[in-house]
Amino acid sequence: MRLRLTAMGALPALIASLLVLLPAPPATAEPAAPAPGFHISGQKLLDANGNPFVMRGTSHPHVWYQGETGSYAEIAGLGANTVRVVLGSGQRWGPSPAADVANVISLCKANRLVCVLEAHDTTGYGEDAAAATLDQAVTYWNSIRDVLIGQEAFVLINIGNEPIGNTNPGQWTTATANAVQRMRTLGFEHTLVVDAPNWGQDWSNTMRDNAQTVWNADGQRNTLFSVHMYQVYGTAATITSYFDAFAKAGLPLIVGEFGHEHQGQNVDEDTIMAEAQTRGIGWVAWSYSGNTEPYLDQTVAFNPAQLTPWGQRVFTGPNGVSETSRCATVFTGCGPGGTAPAAPTGLAVTGATSSSVSLSWTGSAAATQYQVHRAAGACTAQSAFSQVASTAGLTFTNTGLAANTSYCYRVTASNAAGTSAPSGTVTGTTTGGGDPGNGCSVVPTVQSRWDSGYVVQPVAVTNTRTSAISGWRVTFTLPAGHTIAGSWNASLSGTSGTITATNVPHNGNLPVGGKTSFGFQVNKPSGNSQSPSGFSCTAS
């Protein structure tokens, strides 16, 4: 992922050129023997058992959030079969040490996730002066060679993320071919993933038009091409024509990154996902959490129970992970065929507080995960659900809810063969209301987080009295070393320790049940993952 797409003045003509298909490729010899792990057959990626494997997953920003190792189980719990792991090769981030990478691989394997390991330092080479070369990336892979050799059935190596920017994208062909050849010379037999230039988007068609050269450079014929689809791919025509070009060339392609928007411009994610499903093309959506662009976060603060709208689209939407993901058959319990579990039964509300609803249900035979879905309001035939959690257990407590409010729930069950129909529905209603002493409730959300800070937004304030209020005051405590960097829609006292936020003139008057919100940004010590606590609200 990269935040820039420059040279936009020439973009319309270049996008139009995407509609031109490649000529049919010349016949090329197949390798003498298949690779010992993942390998390519035609346009298909096959696992070590020779079964087709179609990636469905997300990226994890590991090099920047090394403490978030619980994310691998969470990503698997959401149904993904693949995780693309961001590593550093030492020029800009890291280097990610061998022991760390070995631990990541073990976590992937324990959770039946295929690991796509990528070196991120190459991002935008030729345009970004700090970027590493592909040759430097290969040197990094060789430095951790001992933990990679022997993992060919579980690990793919994405040599370098978005390795060329928009300056001289034509250098991509030679640089990529040389990197592939050097990896083979060093003894790597993994499926190698190569990203396109133009910050991954290939609007110059350099990868599209020269993929055959790179393919021919790999004596093992085990290279997988990866395009990153952001604002260049805002229409169905540009997406389908790019897919058509690789289909005509007979070369394997994945969408190694994509979003639903980028830099204020639309991305046609519906066509990307639908066409990928029809054609058997793998995809890895960007990204699980921690973005500098919060609209691309799939979860709030690495919490799988708080899927963002983008996360809901990726994991539970049409042609998303829940509908289309199947795990690699190299993992125990994953095989071709099989039967999806039956729908869970006996869904019931077992308790409620002013901010939570607790559920239980009867499990389904052969289920390995359960997905909890929630809709606003009491259950009706028109209830619109989104997934709020995934768990291996038979209970779940949904926290952070508004007081005196009804929610509708249902549960599905899944295993390697698929996902069940939904259970029956049940309405859960939080307690509260009346005229409690404080007169208002507060629910904070950590919207995004990075190594040196985070944003809390929205901090939702609700009038819980039986009459209107004319003002409110929220108090909370920052962890030691955390300081306020800025705020909006509230006046904050102090910058550290216990903070008091009071309404501003335009959002103090709230009718019965009325809601408003404010937000703030915090600076924090590197590596510290704590969040503010002790939120309370008092109305006036």
Side-chain angles (χ1 to χ4, degrees):
M1 171 58 191
R2 180 61 177 169
L3 306 184
R4 291 197 292 165
L5 178 68
T6 57
M8 293 295 289
L11 189 57
L14 289 165
I15 291 177
S17 70
L18 286 169
L19 302 176
V20 181
L21 299 182
L22 287 171
T28 56
E30 291 296 320
F38 278 99
H39 52 284
I40 304 296
S41 176
Q43 290 185 270
K44 293 182 179 180
L45 175 65
L46 306 183
D47 67 19
N49 292 332
N51 294 309
F53 177 74
V54 181
M55 293 182 192
R56 291 289 184 265
T58 186
S59 287
H60 186 271
H62 176 78
V63 72
W64 305 304
Y65 299 93
Q66 296 174 40
E68 297 290 347
T69 52
S71 296
Y72 298 97
E74 295 163 4
I75 290 167
L78 289 167
N81 63 21
T82 303
V83 60
R84 183 170 177 258
V85 183
V86 179
L87 303 177
S89 60
Q91 286 71 39
R92 303 175 72 177
W93 303 286
S96 301
D100 179 44
V101 176
N103 184 53
V104 166
I105 294 172
S106 69
L107 289 168
C108 288
K109 291 166 68 174
N111 290 287
R112 302 196 305 183
L113 289 169
V114 170
C115 247
V116 180
L117 303 177
E118 60 108 330
H120 212 74
D121 301 57
T122 56
T123 306
Y125 177 78
E127 185 173 348
D128 190 326
T133 65
L134 278 172
D135 193 56
Q136 288 173 311
V138 174
T139 297
Y140 166 70
W141 294 120
N142 193 46
S143 74
I144 61 168
R145 182 178 185 277
D146 289 348
V147 302
L148 298 174
I149 300 299
Q151 301 298 326
E152 295 86 354
F154 308 99
V155 172
L156 287 73
I157 299 176
N158 194 165
I159 301 177
N161 181 70
E162 301 178 359
I164 309 291
N166 294 320
T167 302
N168 185 21
Q171 65 184 302
W172 175 89
T173 306
T174 298
T176 304
N178 288 345
V180 168
Q181 289 181 329
R182 187 175 169 216
M183 290 289 286
R184 298 305 185 206
T185 299
L186 291 169
F188 290 96
E189 296 187 314
H190 304 70
T191 296
L192 301 177
V193 181
V194 294
D195 283 4
N198 306 122
W199 304 94
Q201 295 205 66
D202 202 27
W203 55 258
S204 64
N205 294 329
T206 301
M207 184 173 80
R208 191 201 72 176
D209 294 345
N210 295 279
Q212 189 71 48
T213 298
V214 173
W215 175 260
N216 293 343
D218 182 1
Q220 293 189 15
R221 303 297 192 270
N222 196 19
T223 297
L224 184 58
F225 298 91
S226 171
V227 64
H228 293 183
M229 289 188 161
Y230 291 105
Q231 65 266 49
V232 168
Y233 299 92
T235 67
T238 55
I239 295 162
T240 56
S241 65
Y242 199 88
F243 287 169
D244 286 345
F246 271 80
K248 187 172 182 179
L251 294 173
L253 179 71
I254 61 168
V255 182
E257 286 184 20
F258 71 105
H260 60 111
E261 63 173 295
H262 194 231
Q263 297 180 334
Q265 298 184 53
N266 180 60
V267 183
D268 188 358
E269 76 279 4
D270 291 340
T271 296
I272 293 170
M273 297 167 77
E275 286 290 324
Q277 180 63 18
T278 298
R279 299 165 185 254
I281 293 174
W283 53 253
V284 181
W286 184 276
S287 73
Y288 190 58
S289 199
N291 282 283
T292 55
E293 296 176 316
Y295 58 83
L296 287 174
D297 282 352
Q298 295 157 6
T299 62
V300 176
F302 294 92
N303 183 356
Q306 289 186 279
L307 290 179
T308 65
W310 174 225
Q312 293 169 18
R313 179 68 188 90
V314 168
F315 290 106
T316 64
N319 297 303
V321 164
S322 294
E323 285 189 1
T324 66
S325 176
R326 301 292 181 268
C327 62
T329 65
V330 294
F331 295 115
T332 302
C334 297
T339 303
T345 59
L347 178 63
V349 174
T350 58
T353 70
S354 61
S355 61
S356 69
V357 171
S358 296
L359 304 167
S360 69
W361 57 90
T362 301
S364 305
T368 57
Q369 291 285 333
Y370 296 93
Q371 298 77 41
V372 181
H373 303 259
R374 185 185 72 201
C379 296
T380 69
Q382 289 74 43
S383 292
F385 291 91
S386 60
Q387 183 171 313
V388 293
S390 180
T391 177
L394 301 178
T395 62
F396 172 69
T397 297
N398 190 193
T399 59
L401 304 176
N404 197 32
T405 303
S406 294
Y407 300 89
C408 184
Y409 294 91
R410 70 184 189 189
V411 179
T412 55
S414 64
N415 61 17
T419 301
S420 74
S423 68
T425 59
V426 64
T427 298
T429 303
T430 54
T431 61
D435 190 11
N438 290 343
C440 58
S441 64
V442 57
V443 178
T445 298
V446 179
Q447 182 188 72
S448 61
R449 186 183 292 272
W450 57 97
D451 188 54
S452 60
Y454 53 90
V455 170
V456 181
Q457 175 183 275
V459 183
V461 176
T462 303
N463 175 11
T464 58
R465 285 185 175 170
T466 56
S467 60
I469 63 174
S470 59
W472 47 264
R473 182 176 71 257
V474 169
T475 60
F476 58 92
T477 302
L478 295 177
H482 294 219
T483 57
I484 296 291
S487 63
W488 46 97
N489 292 329
S491 297
L492 270 59
S493 67
T495 59
S496 63
T498 298
I499 307 295
T500 299
T502 55
N503 63 276
V504 291
H506 71 265
N507 65 1
N509 294 304
L510 297 178
V512 176
K515 300 175 186 282
T516 189
S517 67
F518 67 97
F520 57 92
Q521 182 173 325
V522 178
N523 293 330
K524 68 176 183 68
S526 176
N528 187 306
S529 60
Q530 292 178 288
S531 299
S533 60
F535 283 82
S536 65
C537 184
T538 303
S540 58

